[in-house]
Every structure is written in C-alpha cells, then in structure tokens.
C-alpha cells in the first residue's frame, strides 16, 4: 500500500456537467477527509467519513456536492451542475486511529470552462 | 472557531542558511495538535513535523524544528541548513482534540531557496 490515491489527476469539464472523483485511502485507515484548495490558499475542509459513515460536512459543501464511502474503503466526491467557481484542487486524506496527522493524496485538479 | 494565520506569503533563504516561518492560531481549547505540511509544486502535501499541545518540549525532525509558544499561540517552523529541495509551499495546520475531524490550515508560505 503506497499511500492515498486519487483519480483522475486532472479533469476539465464544461460548466453544467457532472463530475465524479475517486479516492482510495491507505487500507488500514478508517478516517477519510475531502478538502478543497484554491490557488494561493490552504486546503479547506469539505467532509469527513469514519468507516462508511459521513459524520461531518462543511457549509462549503453545497447541495450540488455529494460524497460517499459505501464500504468504508474508497470514497467518491460528485459535483453536479459544475460552476466555474468549482475550479480547484480537490484533496483526499486519510488517517488511522492512532495517527495524529493526515496522509494526503496528490489531488484532483478540476477546471470548469 | 479556530483560525490559523501565516503572515508571510513568501520567504526566501540562501542555501545552507536557516529560515523561520511564522504561524499563529486562535483557539479556546487547551488540548490540540499543530502541524507543518510541505507542498512542493504539483506534488502532494506531506507532513513535516507535528506538536502536541500538552508537550512542553519543542518537536524536532532532523533539520526541522518548531518553536511552540502555547501562551502566545505561536508555532513557528525553523529550517536549518536549507536545501534546494526545501523549496515549496508550507502550511501550518491546527486540529483540536474535541472536534478532531476538521484540520484547519493557514494560507501558506511560499519558500524559495537560492543556490
């Protein structure tokens, strides 16, 4: 297990289209996080899963955004009816129970044109 | 709400010299965790160093050390013997012990290392 994997690395989509991103965390990590990072800013928290349960959602996560982690392993983040303001890097991170820090994936860079 | 402030958008250092990156935070919690993450260009974010608030001793990881001032809510990162590979964005982050599901990040400091 080499770390947190995210797919795709880059996504260009037209405004109004739906997009879905995937995150595969470190296998023994039960906690999974999604963050959004815009240019020149630090990551902003979007949502958190413990196993398959989505326990927390940020107010940044509008009703066009949905995240799932159906079997407590990989997670998907879907954005419906994309807007130009959704253009950002979407980061996934995972954490084990005794691990204080997060392990981040390389991110998915979304460009909405 | 907890906030993390990095007041230096950009810093530069000569190779082999020492540089200190500043970070302050605001919290009402007494127990929490602080982190410095490094994000090289187009590469993933990696953990550099972490500090538990209940520990008085400053954390050290090889050339990286922190100056943790709990009363002042300050958490600076010192990089000694800077190397070209240290060039990156550096983010300070806070995670509370009560709501430990939401790590808050500062806006980052871009470090340039001059040969």
């Amino acid at each position: 297990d080499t770390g947190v994997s995210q797919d795709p690395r880059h996504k260009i989509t037209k405004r109004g289209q739906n997009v879905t991103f995937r995150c595969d965390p470190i296998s023994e990590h039960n906690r999974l996080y999604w963050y959004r990072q815009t240019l020149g800013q630090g990551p902003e928290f979007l949502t958190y899963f413990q196993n398959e349960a989505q326990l927390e959602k940020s107010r940044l996560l509008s009703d066009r955004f949905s995240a799932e982690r159906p079997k407590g392993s990989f997670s998907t983040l879907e954005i419906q009816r994309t807007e130009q303001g959704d253009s950002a890097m979407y980061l996934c991170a995972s954490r084990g129970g005794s691990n204080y820090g997060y392990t981040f994936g390389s991110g998915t860079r979304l460009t909405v044109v | 709400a907890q906030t993390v402030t990095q007041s230096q958008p950009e810093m530069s250092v000569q190779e082999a010299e020492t540089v200190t990156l500043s970070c302050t935070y605001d919290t009402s919690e007494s127990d929490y965790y602080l982190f410095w993450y490094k994000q090289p260009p187009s590469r993933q974010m990696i953990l550099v160093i972490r500090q538990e608030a209940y520990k008085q001793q400053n954390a050290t990881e090889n050339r990286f050390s922190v100056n943790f001032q709990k009363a002042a809510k300050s958490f600076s990162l010192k990089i000694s013997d800077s190397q070209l590979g240290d060039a990156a964005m550096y983010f300070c982050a806070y995670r509370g012990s009560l709501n430990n599901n939401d790590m808050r990040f500062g806006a980052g400091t871009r470090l340039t290392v001059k040969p």
Side-chain angles (χ1 to χ4, degrees), chain A residues 5-18:
Chain A
S5 300
Q6 290 189 247
D7 184 69
R9 292 292 302 274
H10 304 274
K11 177 71 176 178
I12 300 175
T13 191
K14 292 183 178 180
R15 189 175 54 183
Q17 297 294 303
N18 299 343

Side-chain angles (χ1 to χ4, degrees), chain A residues 9 33 35 37 40-43 45 48 56 91 95 99-102 104-106, chain B residues 33 35 37 39 42 44-45 50 52 54 91 95 99-103 105-107:
Chain A
R9 292 292 302 274
Y33 307 81
Y35 280 78
Q37 185 179 21
Q41 297 297 316
F45 171 77
Y48 157 71
E56 194 165 343
L91 297 170
R95 180 170 76 95
N99 188 345
Y100 299 114
Y102 297 4
F104 281 87
S106 298
Chain B
Y33 308 95
F35 307 85
Y37 279 88
Q39 188 177 41
S42 301
Q44 71 188 92
M45 194 170 306
R50 70 166 188 251
E52 292 88 340
Y54 65 84
F91 293 98
R95 183 166 68 83
N99 181 13
N100 60 11
N101 305 320
D102 179 0
M103 185 179 287
F105 288 82

